[in-house]
Amino acid sequence: MSPTVPFWIVAVFYLFIIISFSMAIRMIIKKQLLISSLISIVLIPLSTILLVFSSIGRGDQNEFEYFINSVKEFELWAWLWLVIFAYLLYWWYLVFRYKKQEK
């Protein structure tokens, strides 16, 4: 069996994904940040599927080591995932900025 990262890291990652997805749905229902929230709703499942399926053949590395090596080797899936993650961080910035302006 391949080595894996500690459970708490996986839990934090999926908690971030679940909270981001539910917040994007909430923003769409409230008709706030529609376009960026719709993009997030499309990218969140795509990033999760991309990360899970890409790490199937990781061999004797844990998920994080495999991801870092894939980024260093300029594999497309790794760079695509980095771009998606950067967009999600930017989206959260937009959400917090919007909420601050609302007050």
Side-chain angles (χ1 to χ4, degrees), residues 48-64:
T48 307
I49 291 168
L50 184 66
L51 198 60
V52 168
F53 282 120
S54 63
S55 60
I56 287 174
R58 61 188 159 86
D60 291 333
Q61 299 173 324
N62 69 27
E63 294 92 343
F64 184 71

Side-chain angles (χ1 to χ4, degrees), residues 8-28:
W8 70 270
I9 294 175
V10 176
V12 168
F13 171 73
Y14 282 109
L15 188 62
F16 172 75
I17 294 295
I18 291 168
I19 291 171
S20 297
F21 193 76
S22 59
M23 185 63 158
I25 290 173
R26 180 176 178 223
M27 296 297 279
I28 289 172

Side-chain angles (χ1 to χ4, degrees), residues 72-92:
K72 288 178 184 176
E73 294 174 4
F74 293 99
E75 292 191 29
L76 180 62
W77 74 266
W79 283 95
L80 182 61
W81 192 87
L82 274 178
V83 168
I84 292 171
F85 188 73
Y87 176 80
L88 288 177
L89 292 178
Y90 173 71
W91 178 79
W92 273 107

